[in-house]
Amino acid sequence: MTRSAVAAAVEAVLFVAEKPVSRAELARTIGAGAKAVGEALGELEEWYRGTGLRLQHEGDDWQIVTAPEMAPHVATYLGADRLRLSSAALETLAVVAYRQPVTRAEVESIRGVNCDQTIYTLMSRRLIAELGRREAPGSPFEYGTTWEFLECFGLASLDALPTVLSPEGVRSEDERVPSP
Amino acid sequence: MTRSAVAAAVEAVLFVAEKPVSRAELARTIGAGAKAVGEALGELEEWYRGTGLRLQHEGDDWQIVTAPEMAPHVATYLGADRLRLSSAALETLAVVAYRQPVTRAEVESIRGVNCDQTIYTLMSRRLIAELGRREAPGSPFEYGTTWEFLECFGLASLDALPTVLSPEGVRSEDERVPSP
Amino acid sequence: MPVGPRPPDVSIVGFEGPLDLLLELVEEKKLDIFTMRLGDLADEYLARVRRMAVLPADEVSAFLYIASRLVLLKARSLLPSLTPAANDEELDTEEELRLRLIEYATTKGRAEALGDRMRAGERAFHREGGTVELPPKGGDPDALAAAWLKVMALTRRTQEDVEVPGERYSVEQRTAEIEALMAERPKVTFATLLGDRPTLGYAIVTFIALLDLYRRLAIDITQDELFGEIRIERKVQRMEGLTE
C-alpha cells in the first residue's frame, strides 16, 4: 500500500514549495525522468481522493492544495473571507475562463456591454491577469484566468470548469462564437 | 480505503497551518470532539507511512512535515539559489518594503485583498517584523523589513531598493496611497 | 440634475445589458431561441427600453442599437423585398444576432455555474509555508520591484474606477475659469456655466466656486424666484483688484 518512491519524493517537494512547480523542475530536483514524474503525479492524484488534500495544476505547473470540500474548516482556521462577486463580474469571468485568451473587445462583444469595471475588479482580485498583447491591430491585451482563480473556485485545473449546456442542450463547447 | 471525514478535515487544517496546532484547537476549528480528533490524528499517522509526509507532534501540538527520508530532495529544491515565495507573499513583501512602516490594514487597502496569511509567512521567514504599535485608534502593529530581508535580497540598505516608476512615470516615493 | 457616475458593477434595472434584456423576453414568452423570429420582439423590446429613461446616454445607446436591429428585422419580415445591402449581410442578418444571443445565453449559464461554486464556498487553499526554518536567500530585488509596480498599477486603476471618471475639476481651477469668463462677459447664468451635459461633480464644483467668488465679493448672485434662473453679475472694481 506504499506509494512509489518517486511519488513520495514529488509529494515532499510539492509540500514545501510555496508556489506551483513545473514537471520539469520536479524531475530535475528529484533526479527522475519526466515520464516517471508524470506517473507519480497521477498516482498522487489517485491517492488524494477522499482525503483533505488534492493536486491542482495549470498547464504543467503543479501544487498541492486543500480539498474544496474542506473549505469551511480551513476558512474557519485561517479566518478567510468569502469571495463575493456581482453577477456582472461573474459574467465577465465566465467569458474569460471559457474563452481564454480573450481580449476586452471580445468580452464586450459577447456580453454586449462595456466591461472596463468588471475587468478591473477581477484583476484587482487576482482572478484574471493580462497574459500579453495579441498580434493584431492595436495590439490589445489578452486576458486569462490565474492560479488564484482555480483555487477560489475549487477547480483542480481548467479542464474541471463546469460544463454548461447551451439552450438547445448542445454542449456549449461545440458552439462557435461569431468573431467580434 | 478513504479516510474518515474528521481525518480529512484535520489534514486540510494542518496542511495550511504554519505552526503546530493543538488538539483542542483542531477540535474547535472543525467542530469535532477531542476524542474524534485524537483518533483522526492516529489515522493520519498511519496513512502517511511510506509517503512523502509525516505527522509530527510535540506534546499535544501537531504539525505535518516532510518525511525525513525525503530530506535530500527537499534540500535540493529549497537549496536552489532562489527565494521561493508565492506571488501573493511577494506582493505583500513589496508593499511592506516600499511603504514601511505600514499597518496590516494599510497593506490590505493597497493590495485590495486579505493579507493575514502572507504577513504570517513573511514574519515566520523573518523577512518582515513588527516594529511597534502605531499611535492611532486600535493601536495597530506597524510592520517593516528586517536585517534578514536586506541580506536575502542582497541590499546594502533600504536606499538600495530598486526605484520603481509608477505607470505615469512618477517616482513611487511621491505616490500617496489613501489611508484605509 | 444631470446623472452622476454610475456605481460600479450594478446591473441596470435587473438586466446586465441589451442582450440580457432580449434573452429575458425570449424566456418570458417561452419562445424557442433557435426558431423564433427575433423581429417579433421589436415592439416589446422598445417598450422596455422606453421605461429605462434613467440610464446614462451611452448605455441607452447600446439598448437602442439592439432595438433598431430588431425593428429592421421586423420590417424585413413585413416587406420581404427589403433585402439588406450586400456588404451589410454579414453584420445585419437575423442569424448573426441569434448566434450572439445563444452565445450570451451560454455565457450566462456559465456565470451561474461559477456563481454556484462561489456561493458554495468550496475553494482550495495552498500552503504559504512556515514549517521550513531555512534562512531564506537569493531574493531578487527586481522581482520585488515588479511586484510593487503591479500592486500600484492595480490600486490606481481600482481607485480611478471608483472615483468620478473623466474630468476632475478642482474648485480653484473652476474659480479661475469663471473669473476669466466673467472678465469678458459681465453677466452669465448658472446654466451657461454648467454647459450642456454637466456631471454631478462638475455642477457641485462650479457651485462651490461661485459661492467662493461671492464670499470674496467678486460677484453678485440673484435669483428671482424659487428654481428660477440663477444670474451671476460681475462686481467691476473688485474683479480688477483680484486679477492683479
Side-chain angles (χ1 to χ4, degrees):
Chain A
M1 199 55 55
T2 61
R3 299 177 212 195
S4 76
V6 179
V10 166
E11 184 180 38
V13 171
L14 287 180
F15 179 81
V16 297
E18 290 166 16
K19 54 183 185 182
V21 185
S22 74
R23 192 155 48 154
E25 190 174 2
L26 283 170
R28 217 167 31 244
T29 302
I30 65 180
K35 184 156 171 283
V37 170
E39 283 166 9
L41 287 165
E43 211 172 328
L44 275 181
E45 221 155 29
E46 194 60 42
W47 274 83
Y48 285 158
R49 204 156 287 172
T51 76
L53 305 181
R54 73 141 73 162
L55 219 46
Q56 183 175 300
H57 73 103
E58 182 163 6
D60 210 26
D61 290 331
W62 297 76
Q63 191 170 26
I64 303 175
V65 295
T66 59
E69 306 82 66
M70 302 303 144
H73 305 304
V74 179
T76 303
Y77 179 78
L78 294 174
D81 300 329
R82 268 279 178 100
L83 175 69
R84 279 174 221 278
L85 292 174
S86 67
S87 53
L90 277 168
E91 268 190 30
T92 296
L93 183 59
V95 177
V96 174
Y98 286 85
R99 287 256 173 260
Q100 57 189 309
V102 72
T103 66
R104 175 184 313 246
E106 285 163 355
V107 176
E108 293 182 343
S109 155
I110 290 173
R111 287 197 57 218
V113 291
N114 180 297
C115 298
D116 281 5
Q117 180 60 39
T118 51
I119 285 178
Y120 289 151
T121 300
L122 296 170
M123 281 184 60
S124 64
R125 302 287 187 85
R126 315 294 195 275
L127 294 169
I128 67 171
E130 288 167 352
L131 303 177
R133 290 187 181 275
R134 177 172 298 181
E135 287 182 22
S139 310
F141 273 116
E142 290 187 326
Y143 296 87
T145 52
T146 60
W147 187 264
E148 282 90 337
F149 165 75
L150 292 178
E151 221 173 79
C152 282
F153 284 83
L155 302 169
S157 73
L158 283 177
D159 301 333
L161 275 172
T163 303
V164 175
L165 299 180
S166 76
E168 205 188 26
V170 182
R171 290 176 121 252
S172 54
E173 278 65 24
D174 304 335
E175 300 288 333
R176 286 324 314 152
V177 219
S179 306
Chain B
M1 200 56 57
T2 60
R3 298 177 212 194
S4 76
V6 179
V10 166
E11 184 181 39
V13 171
L14 287 180
F15 177 79
V16 298
E18 293 173 5
K19 52 184 176 184
V21 185
S22 73
R23 190 154 48 152
E25 190 175 359
L26 283 170
R28 215 167 33 244
T29 302
I30 65 180
K35 185 157 170 285
V37 170
E39 283 166 11
L41 288 165
E43 214 172 325
L44 274 181
E45 216 155 28
E46 194 59 41
W47 273 85
Y48 284 160
R49 203 156 287 169
T51 76
L53 306 180
R54 283 282 173 284
L55 206 54
Q56 181 176 294
H57 70 108
E58 194 172 336
D60 210 25
D61 291 331
W62 297 76
Q63 193 171 22
I64 301 175
V65 297
T66 55
E69 308 89 87
M70 301 302 146
H73 303 304
V74 172
T76 305
Y77 179 78
L78 293 174
D81 201 22
R82 256 171 304 157
L83 173 69
R84 294 167 195 280
L85 286 177
S86 64
S87 57
L90 190 65
E91 281 184 22
T92 297
L93 182 59
V95 175
V96 173
Y98 282 90
R99 280 266 175 262
Q100 56 190 312
V102 70
T103 67
R104 176 183 311 245
E106 283 163 356
V107 176
E108 293 182 345
S109 153
I110 293 170
R111 284 198 59 219
V113 289
N114 180 296
C115 299
D116 281 6
Q117 185 77 352
T118 51
I119 285 178
Y120 194 92
T121 302
L122 296 170
M123 282 185 56
S124 69
R125 290 303 191 84
R126 298 191 212 97
L127 292 168
I128 67 171
E130 289 167 353
L131 302 177
R133 291 191 180 274
R134 177 173 297 181
E135 288 181 22
S139 311
F141 273 115
E142 289 187 327
Y143 296 87
T145 52
T146 58
W147 178 254
E148 284 89 341
F149 165 79
L150 293 179
E151 221 169 67
C152 169
F153 282 84
L155 301 168
S157 74
L158 282 176
D159 299 334
L161 272 172
T163 303
V164 174
L165 295 178
S166 75
E168 281 87 2
V170 184
R171 291 180 109 250
S172 61
E173 281 69 20
D174 304 333
E175 300 289 328
R176 287 328 304 159
V177 179
S179 309
Chain C
M1 186 48 75
V3 192
R6 188 167 58 90
D9 281 7
V10 174
S11 63
I12 309 143
V13 278
F15 301 110
E16 293 299 346
L19 289 171
D20 200 20
L21 174 56
L22 186 54
L23 187 63
E24 191 83 10
L25 285 179
V26 172
E27 282 167 2
E28 263 178 38
K29 296 180 169 299
K30 300 194 166 53
L31 296 170
D32 181 354
I33 198 170
F34 288 90
T35 56
M36 62 156 304
R37 289 189 306 182
L38 288 170
D40 292 351
L41 290 175
D43 295 337
E44 190 114 3
Y45 192 92
L46 269 174
R48 297 283 180 100
V49 173
R50 229 172 268 134
R51 274 181 249 149
M52 295 183 184
V54 294
L55 287 186
D58 55 333
E59 288 181 13
V60 171
S61 70
F63 283 90
L64 287 178
Y65 172 67
I66 295 293
S68 69
R69 292 193 55 182
L70 294 175
V71 171
L72 183 63
L73 293 175
K74 184 182 178 187
R76 278 194 201 133
S77 70
L78 294 176
L79 299 167
S81 61
L82 191 70
T83 49
N87 56 344
D88 287 347
E89 210 160 347
E90 275 179 282
L91 282 172
D92 253 359
T93 62
E94 178 157 24
E95 232 19 61
E96 191 270 344
L97 185 57
R98 193 190 302 281
L99 275 178
R100 279 191 68 187
L101 192 59
I102 291 167
E103 169 70 13
Y104 179 74
T106 308
T107 296
K108 218 180 154 187
R110 289 166 167 172
E112 275 160 20
L114 287 178
D116 288 345
R117 286 192 82 90
M118 178 182 77
R119 283 181 286 276
E122 296 203 340
R123 56 158 301 167
F125 292 90
H126 64 272
R127 278 183 86 239
E128 281 283 350
T131 46
V132 186
E133 281 294 319
L134 296 175
K137 58 177 178 177
D140 176 6
D142 291 335
L144 189 71
W148 176 232
L149 190 60
K150 180 182 163 198
V151 171
M152 277 197 300
L154 288 171
T155 309
R156 176 179 316 277
R157 286 179 174 183
T158 315
Q159 278 160 11
E160 277 171 359
D161 291 330
V162 174
E163 290 170 36
V164 182
E167 86 279 75
R168 242 167 288 180
Y169 277 88
S170 70
V171 172
E172 201 178 29
Q173 181 190 355
R174 191 68 190 122
T175 306
E177 285 173 6
I178 294 172
E179 277 184 310
L181 176 74
M182 296 198 67
E184 289 174 18
R185 294 168 59 180
K187 288 182 187 175
V188 293
T189 64
F190 188 54
T192 308
L193 290 177
L194 285 185
D196 280 337
R197 292 196 62 234
T199 62
L200 185 56
Y202 187 76
I204 289 171
V205 166
T206 301
F207 193 63
I208 294 173
L210 284 177
L211 290 181
D212 192 41
L213 286 168
Y214 181 72
R215 189 183 55 77
R216 285 158 49 191
L217 303 177
I219 57 168
D220 260 334
I221 301 178
T222 53
Q223 185 180 32
D224 293 336
E225 51 180 328
L226 195 62
F227 302 120
E229 186 67 75
I230 299 172
R231 284 195 301 271
I232 299 118
E233 222 174 310
R234 179 178 78 195
K235 286 190 167 180
V236 183
Q237 308 88 336
R238 275 292 177 170
M239 211 50 191
E240 282 162 358
L242 281 169
T243 45
E244 268 173 21

